[in-house]
Amino acid sequence: MNILHVNKELIINASGSDVIIAQLEDRRLIELNREKSNVSFAVGDIYLGRVKKVMPGLNAAFVDVGYEKDAFLHYLDLGPQVQSLIKYMKMGLAGKAPESRLADFRMEGDIRKDGKIIDVLQNNMPMLVQIAKEPISTKGPRISSELSLAGRYLVLVPFSDKISISQKIKESEERNRLKRLIMSIRPKGFGVIIRTVAANKKVAELDQDLNELVERWDTLVKNLQKAQPKTKVLGEIKRTSALLRDVLNDSFNSIVIDDQTIYNEVKNYIAHIAPDKEKIVKHHKGKEDVFEAYGVDRQIKAAFGQNVSMKSGAYLIIQHTEAMHVIDVNSGHRSRSDSDQETNALDCNLEAASEIARQLRLRDMGGIIVIDFIDMHSATNRKVLFDKLKEAMLQDRAKHTILPPSKFGLIQITRQRVRPELVIETLEKCPTCNGSGEIQPSILITDEIENTLRFILKEQNEKSVSLWVNPFIEAYLKKGFPSIRMKWFFKYKKWIQVKSNLNYHINEYHFLNNQDEEIKL
């Protein structure tokens, strides 16, 4: 399918404490990002750290950036122009920073590729570093001192003079046009990486993007002059905006948001970077949860378990370890098809290849992934499967490498891991025992709810209250005339809004005030 004809939607759910961003293609969930409201050490953040310990044996150093575990900085992540960065940083910290545009700054020479980190860094010295990988499991952040600022079309690299172009831009004429254009507008002292989405863009759009990146560098320099070690000097833009920056293209035709503040932010961002796309941003005002309205909740439940079913009846078993992920492909009831075994195996494997590519993006699985496909005897079929998997992975923005099938039928993938894998618990607690093995009489749940309601209205003097329950309880409270809710109205002289949430178990309920904040007892 031509990717330009795929219907792309972004659904943003900000009703809870986190912002959850779902990306759909033809109403099918393919990416899910969770942005915590208090996120720290996100990829792209720039910190003024302090070198804690130089490790000559590892040719690396541990840097304190304020996280509970020190960040890891390898010599190869210093960047060739690290001496220029250190010199500039020291001048900034001493209040003697030159013009932030670097035009008059005298650069230092590049460090050797096979050099020693002890010749560059010393214990306790301050160091400007950028988060390259977020803290994962027991590890601290992975950092780099080769700073870069990412925009929509360009990436700005201070202390460099190189212009690089995305390899995905194939046409030599367009590559030459972009290189000449950027050379004419690039400020002295900055290198530029031209991103794939810059292809066929006008000079005004690229120039605006470049100017905004230089302004962000100006902000970094200003913040540096009053910074103390272990503080953030420049934050990456919010992940909502970062995701839009990275994925927005001409086929992206709907962005639905259930929060007024984020709706305004995204609408302004879209109006700024792509004014013609502003109308695709919509505010979801319905009573139904936005993920329920667009079928995202159901897809999350189906996609994040250990067993993932496919339309044909085949299924995947996905298991995780600290070092790798293992995916086993099972034919299920396809094995009873009338086709021969080899054809069955190929059809099942091709379907699994597409689903596996989706699962890697959806869960953001990184590191080593080993896939045990169904055995096939034909070398031609194994080649068809390998090509199908490579094609399915083309839309994956994470760097990855796919090895051909081994003689055991295994395919190995390495995929860039910069954030912790997204894990969503799909198993639900027993609706009656709440995981304890002992049941509360469900006939008493309405009594418990009414007791809580009475306390909230009489003792806490709440003026307006809404009740969120499981759909079965909602129906029970509203049925008949007079219904239980109607009896509450006669008794307490307050009309209680009763709403349902499919994710609540049968005995779960929550009271909210008129600011939609949960009433804690």
Side-chain angles (χ1 to χ4, degrees):
M1 182 186 290
N2 189 325
I3 193 66
L4 289 177
H5 297 150
V6 174
N7 178 24
K8 286 191 175 183
E9 299 173 283
L10 202 69
I11 314 297
I12 302 177
N13 183 345
S15 57
S17 57
D18 298 342
V19 178
I20 307 175
I21 307 160
Q23 187 180 338
L24 309 183
E25 288 186 357
D26 290 332
R27 287 297 175 108
R28 190 163 180 252
L29 181 65
I30 53 127
E31 275 195 38
L32 195 68
N33 293 271
R34 187 189 296 272
E35 178 186 336
K36 294 192 176 294
S37 54
N38 58 347
V39 67
S40 298
F41 307 100
V43 172
D45 287 350
I46 297 176
Y47 281 80
L48 178 65
R50 185 178 293 283
V51 178
K52 200 74 173 289
K53 193 170 187 181
V54 178
M55 307 289 287
L58 297 174
N59 207 19
F62 288 99
V63 180
D64 183 4
V65 291
Y67 187 66
E68 57 189 287
K69 291 186 178 291
D70 293 334
F72 184 77
L73 177 62
H74 193 272
Y75 180 84
L76 296 176
D77 294 322
L78 291 175
Q81 276 290 323
V82 66
Q83 297 289 18
S84 297
L85 172 66
I86 292 172
K87 174 183 173 183
Y88 191 87
M89 175 195 68
K90 288 180 177 177
M91 294 175 71
L93 291 173
K96 303 175 183 175
E99 277 294 314
S100 59
R101 298 302 166 100
L102 303 181
D104 301 321
F105 179 69
R106 190 167 62 85
M107 301 285 183
E108 300 295 309
D110 290 5
I111 60 171
R112 294 170 46 192
K113 290 183 179 179
D114 58 349
K116 303 295 183 185
I117 198 162
I118 200 166
D119 297 329
V120 181
L121 302 181
Q122 291 82 43
N123 290 343
N124 294 319
M125 71 176 282
M127 190 66 199
L128 265 180
V129 293
Q130 188 166 29
I131 306 296
K133 286 186 181 180
E134 292 178 9
I136 296 174
S137 186
T138 59
K139 301 174 183 175
R142 180 78 182 257
I143 55 177
S144 168
S145 55
E146 188 169 17
L147 308 184
S148 62
L149 305 178
R152 174 150 169 73
Y153 305 116
L154 308 171
V155 179
L156 188 71
V157 185
F159 311 108
S160 173
D161 58 0
K162 293 179 182 176
I163 297 177
S164 307
I165 305 177
S166 166
Q167 294 180 352
K168 292 182 180 179
I169 301 178
K170 303 293 185 184
E171 299 82 1
S172 57
E173 186 176 331
E174 177 61 10
R175 292 176 68 88
N176 290 334
R177 180 190 79 91
L178 288 170
K179 191 164 187 176
R180 287 197 306 271
L181 196 157
I182 296 302
M183 285 181 69
S184 67
I185 62 175
R186 172 181 66 93
K188 186 179 177 183
F190 293 94
V192 175
I193 301 170
I194 302 172
R195 307 183 71 177
T196 308
V197 288
N200 303 313
K201 295 300 176 186
K202 297 176 182 176
V203 60
E205 294 175 279
L206 300 180
D207 186 51
Q208 181 185 5
D209 198 40
L210 184 62
N211 287 335
E212 288 173 0
L213 292 176
V214 173
E215 286 175 10
R216 292 193 67 213
W217 171 255
D218 293 343
T219 301
L220 182 152
V221 174
K222 189 181 299 181
N223 293 342
L224 176 64
Q225 295 177 23
K226 53 189 177 184
Q228 297 294 323
K230 302 194 290 186
T231 58
K232 185 192 298 186
V233 292
L234 189 70
E236 171 64 295
I237 61 175
K238 291 185 178 180
R239 194 171 298 178
T240 313
S241 300
L243 188 69
L244 291 174
R245 179 192 69 195
D246 293 341
V247 305
L248 192 68
N249 58 39
D250 292 338
S251 66
F252 212 96
N253 57 4
S254 180
I255 301 172
V256 183
I257 306 159
D258 66 353
D259 179 84
Q260 183 70 50
T261 303
I262 295 179
Y263 166 77
N264 293 336
E265 286 177 6
V266 172
K267 195 170 179 67
N268 291 337
Y269 179 76
I270 296 292
H272 182 61
I273 66 168
D276 57 317
K277 307 291 284 185
E278 185 180 354
K279 62 182 179 297
I280 71 176
V281 185
K282 302 163 189 169
H283 186 204
H284 176 79
K285 299 179 181 178
K287 294 181 180 179
E288 191 178 17
D289 181 90
V290 67
F291 273 8
E292 287 183 31
Y294 286 82
V296 176
D297 261 345
R298 184 179 295 273
Q299 292 193 59
I300 290 173
K301 295 287 187 185
F304 276 86
Q306 179 175 300
N307 289 28
V308 178
S309 299
M310 295 179 283
K311 286 184 179 178
S312 67
Y315 62 95
L316 308 176
I317 298 177
I318 304 176
Q319 294 185 317
H320 312 282
T321 71
E322 182 72 21
M324 67 173 64
H325 310 275
V326 181
I327 303 176
D328 185 32
V329 181
N330 287 272
S331 58
H333 58 68
R334 273 202 69 105
S335 57
R336 296 191 291 273
S337 172
D338 294 335
S339 304
D340 65 85
Q341 185 177 347
E342 183 77 6
T343 304
N344 262 328
L346 177 61
D347 291 346
C348 183
N349 284 338
L350 293 178
E351 184 185 20
S354 296
E355 181 60 30
I356 287 166
R358 171 181 174 243
Q359 287 288 329
L360 297 187
R361 292 175 67 184
L362 195 54
R363 303 182 187 218
D364 205 7
M365 292 162 61
I368 301 171
I369 300 107
V370 178
I371 308 165
D372 184 10
F373 284 101
I374 298 169
D375 290 343
M376 296 185 296
H377 301 294
S378 165
T380 302
N381 287 344
R382 290 196 293 270
K383 174 71 164 55
V384 170
L385 171 62
F386 182 53
D387 291 342
K388 174 66 175 180
L389 186 58
K390 288 195 294 184
E391 179 189 352
M393 294 284 289
L394 282 176
Q395 301 306 314
D396 196 334
R397 289 178 288 118
K399 295 176 184 176
H400 59 270
T401 303
I402 308 173
L403 299 182
S406 72
K407 64 181 180 180
F408 299 116
L410 303 175
I411 288 184
Q412 298 174 68
I413 300 175
T414 59
R415 186 175 183 273
Q416 181 186 31
R417 174 163 56 182
V418 296
R419 295 186 180 94
E421 180 194 352
L422 183 61
V423 177
I424 291 180
E425 185 58 64
T426 58
L427 298 178
E428 297 179 356
K429 285 183 179 179
C430 170
T432 50
C433 74
N434 202 30
S436 69
E438 297 176 351
I439 13 180
Q440 174 191 18
S442 50
I443 196 171
L444 301 179
I445 183 63
T446 54
D447 293 341
E448 184 182 319
I449 290 174
E450 184 175 357
N451 288 336
T452 306
L453 176 63
R454 184 189 305 113
F455 181 83
I456 288 172
L457 295 177
K458 300 293 187 183
E459 302 297 328
Q460 296 195 177
N461 295 317
E462 288 286 349
K463 303 300 182 189
S464 176
V465 175
S466 59
L467 170 64
W468 285 80
V469 290
N470 178 280
F472 290 106
I473 300 297
E474 178 197 27
Y476 181 70
L477 294 174
K478 291 180 176 179
K479 77 169 186 175
F481 186 83
S483 65
I484 293 176
R485 179 171 64 163
M486 185 69 72
K487 291 176 182 176
W488 289 348
F489 174 70
F490 293 140
K491 185 184 284 189
Y492 302 113
K493 307 295 186 260
K494 301 277 187 193
W495 183 252
I496 309 302
Q497 291 286 342
V498 180
K499 303 176 183 179
S500 66
N501 189 319
L502 281 170
N503 291 318
Y504 288 2
H505 62 72
I506 199 77
N507 284 353
E508 183 177 0
Y509 63 90
H510 299 277
F511 283 101
L512 276 64
N513 61 22
N514 55 6
Q515 278 86 42
D516 285 335
E517 298 169 340
E518 184 175 355
I519 300 171
K520 301 288 187 181
L521 300 178

